[in-house]
Amino acid sequence: MLKILNIIGARPQIIKAAAISRAIKNHFSKQIEDIIVHTGQHYDENMSEVFFTEMGIPSPKYNLNVGSATHGVQTAEMIKGIESIIFSEKPNVVLVYGDTNSTLASALAAAKLHAPVAHVEAGLRSFNKCMPEEINRITCDHASTLLFSPTDTGIKNLEREGFNINSEKPYNIDNPGVFHCGDVMYDNSLYFSEISTTKSYVIEKYKLEKNNFVLATIHRDNNTDNPTRLKQIFEAIIKINKDYSIPFFIPLHPRTSNILEKNVGEELYNKIKNNKNLIIVPPVSFFDMLQLESNTRLIMTDSGGVQKEAYFFKKPCIILRSETEWVEIVKNGNAIICDAGYNKIMEAWTVFNSNTNLEYLQIFGDGKASEFICNKLVETFA
Ligand code: UD1
Ligand code: UDP
């Protein structure tokens, strides 16, 4: 029996782990023991627990309850906790997702103890090392034994960094296996989108008109913590709402809601608060999110995952960042990088408002990335 330590911590990782745990339950239950570790990086009910319940993820065997702190303190606490679990559980492999501090801590703790690391969402690069996530993903990739890239671009990035993308078994940290396997988030969207139509009432609850509202999410630190950027984003939202009479639905990450009033200033904050067509709510569940994404006219976001989901649901996307790891969606014309620029956002809105005939090629796999990953884990480590 292959013992995996399946480490999650932030909202998107919990969601990604749902796809892996489902594949284990349905196809690998006799071969894989799935030990889930929650670092506690995200802890509010609507940032963590809701996803376990809704998506049927097994309860974590361990929760480190690390919570919020500076990067150093948070990462250090996680490393300590994960190290001690690796000592006691002696897993065959440590499975990590994405690019958060939970990913970094897991990879460092495991690699130093010679526990092989398997990285889901390997190879993605923004080429912007001011992003904490860029440091996390590069470090994690270079400490991994199996690297699972969702896209072709991810594979090319790894090759450019010196990885042998045609390496052969036996894999180890000095001869890692690199695989292009599709996207576990695409697996989830395919699996849950039908189910969410009967489980989520968010469209009805907020009286949203299908294809006549904009879904927006904002949580990236360089947007939330920079008053100029945050103001420009909200000024553009208010302008589009006013000129095109289109409501905005904005499930706001706690990081953003904690700082919104302070960073946009009293005048703009009052305009936002008193506009009943800017529906700002706490984070919503994944099923609600799927319904919002599939019924929206357009998505504005600085989230990595939400950019991709916009693509899965064939919705144009305004990216509130200066670059993206998901370059394919920009190359295909389905998303436009606007950074936090008021004018760029307005221009992109005009482009998408007049061109509704976008083509969405199948670039995120076939919905079976999780099974591929489990298969490789068994083949390599069992
Ligand atoms: C983290 C990830 C980011 C990812 C995002 C997903 C890092 C460096 N960043 O950013 O890559 O896109 O998660 O959502 O790992 N907070 C709460 N309740 C919670 C969680 C957070 O109130 O349950 C607030 C706290 O004030 C905290 C702040 O949000 O200080 C930021 O949380 P943190 O996990 O440090 O970073 P995120 O911005 O969530
Ligand atoms: N998400 C959610 N509820 C919300 C906002 C996002 O369920 O209110 C989901 C979203 O559908 C996607 C994931 O969270 O699957 C993206 O996570 P997030 O934006 O927090 O992080 P990122 O992907 O940028 O790391």
Side-chain angles (χ1 to χ4, degrees), residues 11-12 15 51 185 219-220 251 283-284 286 289 293 303-305 309:
R11 169 170 68 187
I15 292 170
F51 304 107
M185 288 183 66
H219 77 272
R220 225 25 89 190
V284 296
F286 186 62
M289 200 60 186
E293 288 168 339
S303 157
E309 286 167 350

Side-chain angles (χ1 to χ4, degrees), residues 10-12 41-44 47 68-69 71 74 99-102 132-133 136 219-221 253-255 258 304:
R11 169 170 68 187
Q41 178 169 352
H42 286 175
Y43 43 85
D44 290 347
M47 294 293 287
S68 307
H71 286 278
Q74 189 182 54
D99 51 23
T100 73
N101 288 346
S102 298
E133 292 83 0
N136 294 347
H219 77 272
R220 225 25 89 190
D221 61 355
H253 190 291
R255 166 177 215 119
N258 288 344

